[in-house]
Amino acid sequence: MSAKSQGFPWNLLVGFILSIALTLLAVFVAIYTDFSNHVILWVLGVLAIFQAIIQLFMFMHVTEGKEGIINVINMVNSIILALIIVFGSIWVLTSGHASLH
Protein backbone atom coordinates (compact mmCIF):
# COMPACT_ATOMS: atom_id res chain seq x y z
CA MET A 1 0.00 0.00 0.00
CA SER A 2 1.17 3.50 -0.71
CA ALA A 3 1.48 6.18 1.97
CA LYS A 4 -1.40 8.08 0.40
CA SER A 5 -3.84 5.17 0.77
CA GLN A 6 -2.96 4.63 4.46
CA GLY A 7 -4.03 8.10 5.62
CA PHE A 8 -7.45 9.49 6.36
CA PRO A 9 -9.48 10.05 3.14
CA TRP A 10 -9.81 13.83 3.48
CA ASN A 11 -10.90 14.29 -0.12
CA LEU A 12 -13.88 11.98 0.44
CA LEU A 13 -14.85 13.82 3.61
CA VAL A 14 -14.61 17.22 1.91
CA GLY A 15 -16.62 15.93 -1.07
CA PHE A 16 -19.28 14.53 1.24
CA ILE A 17 -19.55 17.78 3.22
CA LEU A 18 -19.74 19.85 0.02
CA SER A 19 -22.43 17.56 -1.39
CA ILE A 20 -24.51 17.83 1.79
CA ALA A 21 -24.05 21.62 1.86
CA LEU A 22 -25.15 21.99 -1.78
CA THR A 23 -28.18 19.78 -1.14
CA LEU A 24 -29.20 21.82 1.91
CA LEU A 25 -28.67 25.05 -0.04
CA ALA A 26 -30.93 23.72 -2.81
CA VAL A 27 -33.62 22.82 -0.28
CA PHE A 28 -33.35 26.27 1.29
CA VAL A 29 -33.62 28.02 -2.09
CA ALA A 30 -36.58 25.88 -3.16
CA ILE A 31 -38.58 26.18 0.05
CA TYR A 32 -37.63 29.32 1.94
CA THR A 33 -36.97 31.98 -0.71
CA ASP A 34 -39.41 34.28 -2.48
CA PHE A 35 -37.74 33.86 -5.86
CA SER A 36 -39.88 33.20 -8.91
CA ASN A 37 -40.16 29.62 -10.11
CA HIS A 38 -37.96 30.47 -13.09
CA VAL A 39 -35.11 31.73 -10.86
CA ILE A 40 -35.46 28.79 -8.48
CA LEU A 41 -35.12 26.32 -11.37
CA TRP A 42 -32.00 28.09 -12.65
CA VAL A 43 -30.42 28.13 -9.19
CA LEU A 44 -31.22 24.44 -8.67
CA GLY A 45 -29.76 23.63 -12.09
CA VAL A 46 -26.51 25.45 -11.32
CA LEU A 47 -26.25 23.77 -7.91
CA ALA A 48 -26.88 20.38 -9.57
CA ILE A 49 -24.05 21.00 -12.03
CA PHE A 50 -21.68 21.93 -9.17
CA GLN A 51 -22.68 18.81 -7.27
CA ALA A 52 -22.15 16.62 -10.34
CA ILE A 53 -18.66 18.07 -10.77
CA ILE A 54 -17.88 17.41 -7.10
CA GLN A 55 -19.14 13.82 -7.45
CA LEU A 56 -17.00 13.21 -10.54
CA PHE A 57 -13.77 14.55 -9.11
CA MET A 58 -14.05 13.65 -5.42
CA PHE A 59 -15.75 10.25 -5.53
CA MET A 60 -15.33 8.84 -9.04
CA HIS A 61 -11.68 9.98 -9.32
CA VAL A 62 -11.90 10.91 -12.99
CA THR A 63 -8.48 12.54 -13.06
CA GLU A 64 -6.59 9.63 -11.49
CA GLY A 65 -4.60 7.06 -13.37
CA LYS A 66 -2.86 7.15 -16.70
CA GLU A 67 -6.00 8.07 -18.60
CA GLY A 68 -7.24 10.79 -16.22
CA ILE A 69 -6.75 13.75 -18.52
CA ILE A 70 -8.18 11.77 -21.44
CA ASN A 71 -11.33 11.08 -19.38
CA VAL A 72 -11.75 14.80 -18.66
CA ILE A 73 -11.23 15.73 -22.34
CA ASN A 74 -13.79 13.10 -23.42
CA MET A 75 -16.33 14.40 -20.90
CA VAL A 76 -15.86 18.02 -22.03
CA ASN A 77 -16.24 16.99 -25.68
CA SER A 78 -19.39 15.00 -24.85
CA ILE A 79 -20.89 17.96 -22.98
CA ILE A 80 -20.12 20.34 -25.86
CA LEU A 81 -21.66 17.94 -28.38
CA ALA A 82 -24.80 17.48 -26.25
CA LEU A 83 -25.18 21.25 -25.86
CA ILE A 84 -24.80 21.80 -29.61
CA ILE A 85 -27.44 19.16 -30.34
CA VAL A 86 -29.93 20.44 -27.73
CA PHE A 87 -29.58 24.16 -28.37
CA GLY A 88 -29.27 23.67 -32.14
CA SER A 89 -32.51 21.70 -32.16
CA ILE A 90 -34.27 24.33 -30.07
CA TRP A 91 -32.97 27.08 -32.35
CA VAL A 92 -34.10 25.32 -35.53
CA LEU A 93 -37.53 24.42 -34.14
CA THR A 94 -38.28 27.89 -32.75
CA SER A 95 -36.88 30.13 -35.48
CA GLY A 96 -38.98 28.93 -38.40
CA HIS A 97 -36.20 27.32 -40.39
CA ALA A 98 -38.28 24.17 -40.77
CA SER A 99 -41.02 25.65 -42.94
CA LEU A 100 -43.33 23.43 -44.97
CA HIS A 101 -43.40 25.19 -48.40
Side-chain angles (χ1 to χ4, degrees):
M1 272 205 244
S2 68
K4 184 177 180 182
S5 64
Q6 292 176 352
F8 188 79
W10 288 106
N11 58 340
L12 296 177
L13 180 65
V14 169
F16 178 71
I17 291 171
L18 285 174
S19 294
I20 295 295
L22 285 172
T23 301
L24 293 175
L25 181 61
V27 168
F28 176 78
V29 167
I31 296 175
Y32 298 111
T33 61
D34 291 332
F35 297 146
S36 68
N37 289 340
H38 187 72
V39 172
I40 289 174
L41 287 176
W42 274 103
V43 170
L44 292 181
V46 169
L47 291 174
I49 290 170
F50 284 146
Q51 187 154 357
I53 291 169
I54 288 171
Q55 298 286 329
L56 284 171
F57 287 97
M58 296 289 201
F59 299 122
M60 298 180 76
H61 309 287
V62 220
T63 56
E64 291 182 2
K66 289 188 263 183
E67 298 177 351
I69 191 68
I70 295 171
N71 289 336
V72 173
I73 291 171
N74 287 337
M75 282 190 304
V76 168
N77 285 334
S78 299
I79 291 168
I80 291 171
L81 183 61
L83 290 173
I84 289 172
I85 291 170
V86 169
F87 289 112
S89 298
I90 291 171
W91 175 60
V92 166
L93 291 172
T94 59
S95 63
H97 291 290
S99 61
L100 300 173
H101 292 308

